Amino acid sequence: MQQTKQRLLTGNKALAEAIRLEMERDPNVFVMGEDVGVYGGIFGATEGLFQKFGPERVIDTPISETAFIGAAIGAAAEGMRPIVELMFVDFFGVCMDQIYNHMAKIPYMSGGRVKLPMVLMTAVGGGYSDAAQHSQTLYATFAHLPGMKVVAPSTPYDLKGMMISAIRDDNPVVFMFHKTLQGLGWMDQLDASIGHVPEEAYTVPLGKANIVREGTDITIVGIQMTVHQALEAAKRLDQQGIQAEVIDLRSLVPLDKETIIQSVKKTHRLLVVDEDYLSYGMTAEIAAIAAEHCLYDLEAPVKRIAVPDVPIPYSRPLEQFVLPNADKIFQEAIQLVNE
Amino acid sequence: MAIPKDHLLWMYETMYKIRCYEDKMAEAYAEGKSPVFNIGAGPVPGEMHLATGQEPAAAGMCVHLKKEDTVTAPHRPHHHAIAKGVDLNRMTAEIFGKATGLGKGKGGHMHLFDPDVKFSCGGIVGAGIPHALGAALAAKKKGKDWVAVAFIGEGAANQGAFHESLNMAALWKLPLIVVIENNQYGISVPKAASTAVSSNDVRAAAYGIKGYYVKDNDPIDMYNVSKEAVERARTGQGPSIIEIETYRYLGHFQGDPEVYRDKNEVTLLRQKDPIIRLRNYLLNEWGVTEETIAQLENKATAEVDQAYAFARESDYPKPEEALEDVFV
């Protein structure tokens, strides 16, 4: 039995394990952020690290994001490899100058002479009524701005492998983990938030999409939660005789255009699903890539599902109305295949 | 100068009402979240930050405020909202995500807006301080004697917004008061591990303004220093900082495992509860009768009960209403 041999971890434990392994390997790696110490990170990304490495390497900061993210830049320029946690991605507003005008631009402005090997990790996502200032994904906000790698893994295996890659990368990496995919006991329980994770260190490349389900009739592109929703929709589509190919982008910057293009050339139909806002976002970018590279392979217009350009509302019926889900993907896919 | 008795009675009623409101909210929040706790389940989903134990700051300040004065509050806002006179029915309906709520269900517990009494709050630490600064600027431009009060936690005093706002308020001599509720923890981090000075009132010296410190969650002391700060602001003498040593009896949010503190800590805190202290003070020093106290408590309880009934009986918004109100 193959399965009994599998070592299962939740998303948060996979992340914390990646950081632990890299901290053991490289004394330059350290962690800073709010409640990353004894608490282990509000979403568990640093669970157990304080107990293992102590307050010198797992540092609780004041609520001073501009200062501690800026400090990570300064330390990275000195050859350290800081991992800083922005508790919720929504809090970027208080420190975006450091992130964008400095972290993302210094390597370029220095002509490549200053390296910033740092990871800015942050929690994204909604669906649990945390309202407009704690529920965003903001994938495109970060991906739009040049100079940062932006990754958003969807499985415990990728969380670990991509975190190790991110720490070893000499560029600044914005590492987004989805709250619901952390496998925390106090949130919605998803099978997808627990998965096989090898014990040893391994890397998953940043910038390579993953075809998580092969199909011939329609390509569905998603990231994080929308990948799992697409897989659920694909099962239902299968019952209708429709074979959906599901692509997990995993990384927004760099973006694996080739995997998308090859898939569209095979299926001739494209549906892009995003938990971020609709306009000027990831769905538009993927649609543009299809238009530029494989327009004549398409047999129907590209369709998009995303948050319809409103802040994330608090009340459950309102929030459920704006977020993507498997049912919306199923309905849209059926329509698209029948066009 | 002696404190007017009606002020003390108002403070007691308000603090009692806040306690009652938060206790009831803790129960409502727990509904649908057992045996397995899920933050998104039940009639009140999402994060819930309760102010149980922190009543003196809100009551001791807001007793001096008028409807025209502005209050901004942080992510833990119920006590300030209640003390400022926010419509309790609509506030509760908002927290239950109902169409009759202050924001028609769009805002939720961290995002309550009641322009009728100039109250707002938000989920980003320190963000309310510049809003209060702006209200103070508007009051000055309009030639009014209105003041603006920003309530913040002690963690927010380490945000740039705090220092930037106070510098401007001092520079322009604006009627801004920043009340820092030092409830000892920024989520899990004790103040001593986050703040280089032992109390934030000393930071007033950096801006040449008044700094006050209220020890041990004392409602009367909070009343007195707030009175002075508000009078100074109203009469053009500029901004102040008040730090009050206060306590949160509950976790940072409901469901917080509180691994960072001794479980016995709260038991000891509750033994010197400010509501009980104020009650005894009224009975012993002011000759207020048990009967009067009971009347105040019953009135507060009835108002809270009414608000929860209103919230529960109200309808949810229609899903497609999510698309409304992006632009006015």
Side-chain angles (χ1 to χ4, degrees):
Chain A
M1 287 286 287
Q2 182 64 31
Q3 272 182 333
T4 54
K5 287 181 191 164
Q6 286 199 345
R7 178 172 178 267
L8 296 175
L9 288 188
T10 56
N12 84 297
K13 288 187 180 358
L15 257 186
E17 183 167 275
I19 299 170
R20 172 177 64 76
L21 288 166
E22 288 307 288
M23 288 180 75
E24 285 170 352
R25 191 185 62 81
D26 183 349
N28 287 315
V29 179
F30 69 100
V31 182
M32 272 198 295
E34 294 153 11
D35 303 281
V36 298
V38 172
Y39 202 101
I42 294 302
F43 298 99
T46 58
E47 194 180 291
L49 298 179
F50 179 85
Q51 290 74 7
K52 182 157 180 60
F53 297 104
E56 292 296 319
R57 292 185 74 194
V58 183
I59 307 169
D60 271 332
T61 62
I63 308 172
S64 306
E65 290 87 355
T66 290
F68 75 75
I69 292 173
I73 294 170
E78 291 290 329
M80 304 292 288
R81 289 186 174 269
I83 301 165
V84 281
E85 179 170 276
L86 179 64
M87 189 187 295
F88 288 76
V89 74
D90 315 68
F91 300 172
F92 82 108
V94 296
C95 52
M96 197 58 169
D97 180 64
Q98 290 298 330
I99 296 170
Y100 180 55
N101 274 324
H102 305 277
M103 183 184 85
K105 290 177 178 169
I106 285 172
Y108 182 79
M109 295 189 297
S110 69
R113 295 180 65 209
V114 178
K115 287 180 188 160
L116 298 180
M118 60 183 283
V119 180
L120 173 64
M121 69 175 176
T122 186
V124 307
Y128 61 103
S129 288
D130 216 359
Q133 297 173 342
H134 292 73
S135 299
Q136 303 169 98
T137 59
L138 299 178
Y139 299 128
T141 302
F142 287 83
H144 179 65
L145 303 167
M148 313 174 264
K149 294 190 178 180
V150 182
V151 302
S154 315
T155 63
Y157 183 89
D158 285 347
L159 281 163
K160 178 171 171 181
M162 291 174 77
M163 177 51 86
I164 290 178
S165 293
I167 295 168
R168 295 181 187 176
D169 202 297
D170 278 344
N171 298 287
V173 178
V174 177
F175 191 103
M176 295 171 154
F177 58 83
H178 197 289
K179 296 161 207 165
T180 309
L181 296 174
Q182 291 289 83
L184 302 168
W186 46 278
M187 301 194 78
D188 275 346
Q189 301 299 303
L190 289 192
D191 289 346
S193 67
I194 301 176
H196 173 56
V197 177
E199 204 165 346
E200 69 277 10
Y202 61 91
T203 58
V204 171
L206 310 183
K208 188 82 191 89
N210 191 15
I211 298 171
V212 289
R213 187 185 197 281
E214 292 198 18
T216 49
D217 301 325
I218 178 173
T219 298
I220 307 177
V221 175
I223 196 161
Q224 295 195 317
M225 281 298 281
T226 64
V227 171
H228 301 295
Q229 292 160 353
L231 285 170
E232 196 184 321
K235 268 193 226 162
R236 290 172 57 193
L237 289 165
D238 192 355
Q239 290 161 7
Q240 307 280 318
I242 298 165
Q243 294 306 318
E245 178 146 301
V246 178
I247 297 177
D248 177 359
L249 284 180
R250 299 198 290 195
S251 168
L252 292 162
V253 181
L255 181 63
D256 182 359
K257 294 181 186 177
E258 204 44 41
T259 297
I260 300 162
I261 294 164
Q262 290 312 318
S263 179
V264 171
K265 283 184 173 172
K266 180 169 75 169
T267 66
H268 311 292
R269 285 179 166 79
L270 176 61
L271 171 62
V272 193
V273 194
D274 190 6
E275 196 187 320
D276 199 358
Y277 306 117
L278 178 71
S279 297
Y280 307 97
M282 183 271 271
T283 58
E285 185 62 29
I286 305 297
I289 287 166
E292 283 173 346
H293 298 277
C294 46
L295 181 63
Y296 300 113
D297 293 293
L298 285 168
E299 285 174 18
V302 176
K303 292 286 178 193
R304 309 190 275 156
I305 298 173
V307 175
D309 296 338
V310 298
I312 311 293
Y314 163 71
S315 185
R316 192 179 292 121
L318 302 180
E319 187 184 26
Q320 293 308 316
F321 181 76
V322 305
L323 291 180
N325 59 39
D327 194 50
K328 290 179 189 177
I329 297 169
F330 174 78
Q331 301 295 346
E332 197 68 52
I334 288 274
Q335 242 184 353
L336 187 51
V337 170
N338 291 330
E339 252 184 58
Chain B
M1 216 169 70
I3 301 174
K5 189 173 171 183
D6 60 321
H7 281 195
L8 290 173
L9 295 178
W10 183 91
M11 277 177 63
Y12 182 74
E13 183 185 335
T14 301
M15 287 169 60
Y16 188 87
K17 195 195 300 180
I18 293 165
R19 180 65 58 88
C20 191
Y21 190 87
E22 299 293 63
D23 285 349
K24 224 171 158 69
M25 187 58 75
E27 286 173 25
Y29 186 74
E31 282 174 38
K33 293 188 180 72
S34 68
V36 178
F37 181 89
N38 180 335
I39 189 171
V44 182
E47 285 179 67
M48 178 54 63
H49 314 83
L50 297 177
T52 316
Q54 296 185 209
E55 299 86 356
M61 170 53 76
C62 291
V63 66
H64 304 293
L65 301 183
K66 306 183 287 188
K67 196 174 164 186
E68 293 79 12
D69 296 324
T70 292
V71 164
T72 68
H75 55 284
R76 190 181 313 284
H78 300 169
H79 52 323
H80 313 117
I82 291 169
K84 188 61 173 62
V86 168
D87 184 321
L88 207 59
N89 285 1
R90 296 191 65 194
M91 166 174 155
T92 313
E94 183 62 28
I95 297 167
F96 277 72
K98 299 299 181 72
T100 53
L102 290 168
K104 305 178 204 166
K106 293 191 167 80
H109 127 90
M110 278 189 278
H111 317 100
L112 304 166
F113 298 86
D114 191 350
D116 291 346
V117 295
K118 296 197 188 174
F119 176 86
S120 66
C121 60
I124 307 295
V125 170
I129 310 167
H131 306 163
L133 174 75
L137 177 65
K140 190 175 183 183
K141 283 186 174 296
K142 289 180 179 183
K144 303 289 189 185
D145 70 347
W146 304 339
V147 304
V149 180
F151 287 94
I152 62 170
E154 87 287 348
N158 298 319
Q159 275 283 2
F162 173 83
H163 300 279
E164 295 175 27
S165 301
L166 282 173
N167 180 55
M168 285 167 71
L171 186 67
W172 298 339
K173 242 181 173 187
L174 298 179
L176 173 71
I177 300 162
V178 178
V179 177
I180 303 167
E181 285 171 66
N182 171 20
N183 70 10
Q184 318 301 324
Y185 298 95
I187 306 189
S188 71
V189 180
K191 184 182 179 187
S194 73
T195 306
V197 290
S198 63
S199 66
N200 282 298
D201 59 308
V202 304
R203 289 174 158 175
Y207 305 105
I209 60 176
K210 283 290 272 190
Y212 303 91
Y213 186 69
V214 176
K215 274 202 295 197
D216 203 22
N217 218 11
D218 189 284
I220 302 302
D221 199 20
M222 184 65 198
Y223 175 96
N224 287 326
V225 304
S226 299
K227 182 168 186 282
E228 187 179 315
V230 170
E231 277 172 7
R232 285 176 51 85
R234 279 206 206 291
T235 53
Q237 296 174 72
S240 312
I241 300 172
I242 300 170
E243 174 155 293
I244 174 168
E245 181 185 25
T246 189
Y247 308 105
R248 73 164 147 80
Y249 292 172
L250 304 172
H252 166 71
F253 40 52
Q254 294 301 96
D256 179 352
E258 296 185 69
V259 290
Y260 49 85
R261 70 168 160 182
D262 185 344
K263 297 288 175 219
N264 201 31
E265 185 179 304
V266 174
T267 313
L268 296 173
L269 291 173
R270 283 189 186 267
Q271 284 168 7
K272 51 172 187 173
D273 188 89
I275 298 180
I276 297 168
R277 273 154 56 200
L278 184 57
R279 194 179 201 279
N280 289 337
Y281 178 68
L282 288 170
L283 290 170
N284 301 334
E285 308 290 325
W286 286 78
V288 176
T289 62
E290 284 281 3
E291 197 186 355
T292 302
I293 295 276
Q295 279 171 1
L296 296 175
E297 291 175 354
N298 291 339
K299 186 164 156 255
T301 309
E303 206 182 322
V304 169
D305 287 347
Q306 156 63 26
Y308 278 82
F310 175 83
R312 287 180 188 274
E313 286 158 14
S314 294
D315 292 326
Y316 281 104
K318 293 187 187 70
E320 58 274 20
E321 287 172 28
L323 304 180
E324 297 170 4
D325 298 315
V326 177
F327 297 109
V328 292

